[in-house]
């Protein structure tokens, strides 16, 4: 809807959505979409800092949210979507389920021309880091995933800060 703004944020162990239908003059009350028991700050052994900060993307008919949460001591990247301007949301689904591997720091983007949706994030196994790109083509169901880097790189010290963001 023209003039509608959306804000997604994490705090107080919840994932929230706020919406304005008048270009930001007034806002609906915040709505909790789901619990985030660990918040958006995620722990990964051997790493200074990682996160699961939520990202919200919108095209002309769908809102997509990506974020990472801790489940059973492992961090996973999830996606959920809404086709009714944030009133209801799909059941969040995990992009990668591999055991003993951490997936963190997602960033997402919708291609404005094709409508394809992309989520870029890190895969961390022990001290080896790979960059993964999961994407959903506009006309297809489900996601495809590719590894962006040719081979994993190694973070050899908990004192090395990788930064909070990667971009698509």
């Amino acid at each position: 809807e023209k003039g509608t703004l959306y804000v997604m944020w994490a705090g107080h162990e919840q994932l929230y959505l706020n919406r304005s239908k008048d270009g930001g003059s007034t806002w609906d009350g915040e709505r909790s979409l789901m619990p985030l028991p660990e918040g958006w700050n995620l722990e990964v052994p051997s790493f200074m800092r990682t996160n699961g900060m939520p990202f919200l993307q919108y095209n002309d008919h769908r809102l997509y949210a990506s974020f990472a949460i801790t489940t059973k001591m492992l961090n996973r990247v999830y996606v959920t979507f809404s086709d009714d301007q944030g009133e209801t949301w799909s059941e969040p689904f995990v992009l990668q389920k591999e055991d003993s591997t951490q997936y963190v720091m997602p960033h997402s983007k919708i291609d404005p021309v094709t409508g394809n949706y992309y989520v870029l994030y890190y895969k961390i196994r022990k001290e080896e880091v790979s960059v993964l790109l999961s994407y959903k083509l506009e006309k297809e169901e489900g996601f495809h995933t590719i590894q962006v880097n040719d081979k994993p790189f190694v973070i050899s010290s908990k004192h090395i800060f990788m930064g909070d963001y990667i971009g698509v």
Side-chain angles (χ1 to χ4, degrees), residues 1 22 40-41 47 78 101 103 118 121 134 140 143 160:
E1 208 172 297
D22 58 12
W40 64 274
N41 222 2
F47 283 78
Y78 286 81
T101 302
Y103 298 93
Y118 300 90
Y121 51 99
S134 293
E140 292 183 11
F143 279 80
I160 296 173

Side-chain angles (χ1 to χ4, degrees), residues 3-127:
T4 301
L5 302 174
Y6 300 92
V7 176
M8 178 167 279
W9 57 282
H12 313 290
E13 299 183 353
Q14 298 286 318
L15 180 63
Y16 293 99
L17 178 75
N18 291 78
R19 179 179 59 193
S20 171
K21 292 188 175 183
D22 58 12
S25 295
T26 61
W27 291 86
D28 295 349
E30 63 194 32
R31 292 182 296 147
S32 174
L33 299 182
M34 65 179 292
L36 292 179
E38 307 292 325
W40 64 274
N41 222 2
L42 304 176
E43 294 294 323
V44 175
S46 302
F47 283 78
M48 178 186 279
R49 180 168 83 197
T50 60
N51 69 61
M53 190 180 310
F55 282 86
L56 184 66
Q57 297 291 317
Y58 179 70
N59 60 18
D60 62 352
H61 63 280
R62 179 171 277 181
L63 280 163
Y64 284 98
S66 63
F67 50 93
I69 59 174
T70 303
T71 305
K72 299 180 183 173
M73 311 243 338
L74 293 170
N75 299 304
R76 298 288 183 252
V77 174
Y78 286 81
V79 171
T80 183
F81 62 87
S82 173
D83 289 330
D84 58 8
Q85 299 179 334
E87 291 295 324
T88 60
W89 291 82
S90 69
E91 187 69 30
F93 53 94
V94 67
L95 292 177
Q96 299 294 324
K97 298 178 183 175
E98 189 175 326
D99 292 333
S100 73
T101 302
Q102 305 285 347
Y103 298 93
V104 295
M105 300 171 74
H107 191 284
S108 63
K109 184 72 175 165
I110 294 177
D111 184 312
V113 175
T114 64
N116 298 341
Y117 175 66
Y118 300 90
V119 182
L120 189 68
Y121 51 99
Y122 294 112
K123 171 185 175 178
I124 303 171
R125 179 177 292 164
K126 299 187 181 181
E127 294 164 352

